[in-house]
Amino acid sequence: MYTHEELSQLQAQSLKLQSWIRQQTFSPENIKRLRRFSSWEVSELILGINQSTFRGRLVADPDLPGGEVEPDGRQRWFTLDEINELRRRIKVNRKSLMPPRPEGKRAFRAAIANFKGGAGKSTVALHFAHAAALDGYRVLLVDFDPQATLSHSMGLTDVAEEYTVWGIMARDLIRETDRMNAAVVGAASGTALPQRSIPASIREMGLDALRPADFIKPTAWSTIDVVPSCANAAFVEFASAQYRHLNPEWSFFACVSRYLDSLPDDAYDLIIFDCPPAIGYQSMNAVFAADMLYIPSGPGYWEYDSTTSFIGQLAEALEDLSAGYQGNVPGCNMTLPKAFADIKFLMTRFETGNELHRAMYEAFQKVFGDHVTEHPVEMTRAVEQSGRFLASVYEIDYRDMTRETWRRARASFDRAYEEFRGNIVNAWDKI
């Protein structure tokens, strides 16, 4: 028989080896570093211009970043910051290389969500964020999943629960309760409104004094920040139920939306949510804050069945909350019932030569129609390796495997990302 004591022993054993495992995954200093990108990658795969044109521009303008030359002099390697400087300063046929972004709009928010564990939510969120950064966008990742796979993949392994989505929700509870208590007299009747009390155990954590920027952590990618998660944030579902009891009028599902609304509109271009495999307090916050819902699913029948259950239960939850909170939600730019600018289904782990996978993809199209993305994410050896080492295909150096294997994996994510970006650009004006 096994009790909590055995579980604690297993955790202690794991913690002893954590340092070694991080060294295998990141650097000897346990810090994740972003590699440089070759001139071939920068010109053809990132900026989308001919190599000879790119080399000509570097020669013609010595003030442009020149990258780092290999000892044999055959290849130049550029940092992400150098790539972005090149993107800002180079024009091809008088056209800017900057990615499309509507003027006067806040960052677009996309939630990657599904019931099914292993559907590829964190993998998709990670690759879309990295592809968007290489595309010139400034990205904020919000990790709602206590498993924290996305946070770990971005190099964040030592996170206190106060600085996760749970901290944002507890901070919102205090602030919203104080706002309600400040309205001590009803405008129409003059009757004193009931006062809601927040226990000292919550107030004394000092979360209400935290600034929005305190929850945001930098990463090895200079244009990607993260609101991270950690295993200790798993109790948010229990804590949130208690919080709702303390203040039943608290619009708990709008915490993250209120938080993101407090950020400057031009702080980021794209905000991506990685959701847990369940419908709960955290996932509902992600859904209500999102402009677009992206639902990844594997190519099996049970994954299709789970996806069907997910959208059904999500629809019921959205309907119930909308009925209880009609109209504008206090403190944020949200109007109920909740409406998404777009909803898309993305097939993951797809094998083009697998007859069953092709049949399931056609079934998805038959059921969900235009909501199914045209380009599924293919399963390749490079994709498997990226998951093993908590790194995206974009982070893996193509010299670590055959270039063809690497290019095939990258091409699959490139196609999926290009479609993702197109969906965002089309929907941006609707928010």
Side-chain angles (χ1 to χ4, degrees):
M1 304 295 288
Y2 302 100
T3 68
H4 61 89
E5 294 180 351
E6 281 74 26
L7 289 173
S8 296
Q9 291 173 5
L10 290 172
Q11 186 206 24
Q13 181 177 331
S14 176
L15 289 172
K16 288 180 181 179
L17 288 175
Q18 247 183 9
S19 176
W20 177 83
I21 292 172
R22 289 177 187 173
Q23 288 180 27
Q24 311 310 306
T25 308
F26 303 148
S27 66
E29 299 84 12
N30 295 338
I31 298 174
K32 188 165 188 176
R33 304 187 189 281
L34 180 61
R35 69 179 179 90
R36 288 176 176 262
F37 299 85
S38 70
S39 55
W40 162 67
E41 292 177 272
V42 174
S43 59
E44 294 197 1
L45 300 182
I46 298 176
L47 299 182
I49 59 180
N50 185 274
Q51 281 195 71
S52 59
T53 300
F54 180 59
R55 286 194 294 266
R57 294 299 177 88
L58 293 181
V59 172
D61 188 351
D63 290 335
L64 288 174
E68 186 178 271
V69 182
E70 284 186 336
D72 61 10
R74 294 190 341 186
Q75 190 79 268
R76 290 179 181 271
W77 294 81
F78 297 83
T79 66
L80 179 59
D81 288 336
E82 289 174 328
I83 292 170
N84 283 325
E85 180 68 14
L86 290 167
R87 188 193 310 277
R88 284 189 291 268
R89 294 177 58 182
I90 292 178
K91 285 185 169 56
V92 177
N93 297 325
R94 298 183 179 181
K95 295 181 68 174
S96 171
L97 298 179
M98 296 297 292
R101 193 203 198 285
E103 290 187 14
K105 293 284 187 180
R106 62 160 171 76
F108 192 92
R109 308 169 188 171
I112 315 297
N114 200 339
F115 257 171
K116 192 77 173 66
K121 295 183 293 294
S122 297
T123 299
V124 169
L126 182 72
H127 280 80
F128 280 178
H130 289 177
L134 292 176
D135 201 18
Y137 287 118
R138 297 159 301 163
V139 183
L140 175 64
L141 287 168
V142 184
D143 193 350
F144 288 84
D145 191 348
Q147 295 178 86
T149 301
L150 183 64
S151 298
H152 294 165
S153 297
M154 293 301 300
L156 299 170
T157 56
D158 188 16
V159 177
E161 59 265 26
E162 295 96 315
Y163 298 97
T164 67
V165 168
W166 170 77
I168 291 175
M169 294 180 68
R171 172 181 179 266
D172 187 81
L173 168 69
I174 298 171
R175 292 191 165 209
E176 280 296 289
T177 301
D178 289 346
R179 181 187 62 80
M180 294 176 190
N181 286 341
V184 293
V185 178
S189 64
T191 303
L193 298 176
Q195 295 285 296
R196 299 294 181 184
S197 176
I198 302 296
S201 59
I202 298 177
R203 283 199 179 273
E204 289 174 359
M205 288 189 292
L207 294 172
D208 56 321
L210 292 179
R211 301 162 301 172
D214 292 332
F215 295 95
I216 298 173
K217 308 302 178 188
T219 72
W221 291 70
S222 57
T223 52
I224 302 180
D225 293 332
V226 180
V227 174
S229 186
C230 67
N232 286 350
F235 67 82
V236 69
E237 299 302 320
F238 303 101
S240 298
Q242 176 195 8
Y243 297 163
R244 287 191 70 188
H245 178 73
L246 294 172
N247 185 352
E249 287 80 28
W250 175 50
S251 50
F252 68 92
F253 55 86
C255 302
V256 173
S257 185
R258 276 190 285 264
Y259 166 74
L260 294 177
D261 285 346
S262 71
L263 301 178
D265 286 350
D266 60 353
Y268 299 96
D269 305 308
L270 183 60
I271 302 177
I272 299 176
F273 306 149
D274 183 26
C275 301
I279 292 180
Y281 290 97
Q282 293 196 77
S283 57
M284 291 310 296
N285 260 272
V287 165
F288 272 98
D291 301 311
M292 178 169 68
L293 200 58
Y294 239 69
I295 305 172
S297 174
Y301 172 77
W302 295 116
E303 290 161 308
Y304 161 77
D305 189 57
S306 178
T307 298
T308 302
S309 297
F310 168 71
I311 59 177
Q313 294 191 34
L314 180 59
E316 291 180 7
L318 291 173
E319 181 180 13
D320 289 345
L321 288 173
S322 295
Y325 295 88
Q326 283 291 342
N328 296 323
V329 179
C332 63
N333 298 317
M334 182 191 299
T335 302
L336 298 182
K338 172 64 183 177
F340 301 100
D342 204 352
I343 299 174
K344 292 292 182 181
F345 296 85
L346 171 67
M347 185 161 288
T348 57
R349 304 196 325 275
F350 184 75
E351 298 174 8
T352 55
N354 189 310
E355 185 177 345
L356 175 60
H357 289 193
R358 294 198 304 270
M360 285 306 302
Y361 179 68
E362 292 174 3
F364 266 77
Q365 288 181 310
K366 185 173 293 186
V367 173
F368 301 118
D370 293 340
H371 289 292
V372 179
T373 62
E374 181 181 350
H375 300 291
V377 174
E378 297 180 24
M379 174 56 72
T380 69
R381 189 174 74 84
V383 173
E384 291 179 319
Q385 187 166 325
S386 74
R388 176 185 173 191
F389 291 104
L390 295 178
S392 76
V393 169
Y394 301 102
E395 292 177 298
I396 295 174
D397 193 320
Y398 59 82
R399 295 171 296 182
D400 292 340
M401 60 185 69
T402 64
R403 184 179 291 198
E404 183 55 36
T405 299
W406 181 85
R407 286 201 68 166
R408 182 186 167 198
R410 165 151 186 166
S412 176
F413 278 108
D414 281 348
R415 289 190 295 268
Y417 166 72
E418 286 294 330
E419 188 172 2
F420 174 70
R421 186 182 80 168
N423 293 329
I424 285 174
V425 172
N426 290 335
W428 219 323
D429 283 332
K430 299 178 184 178
I431 65 173

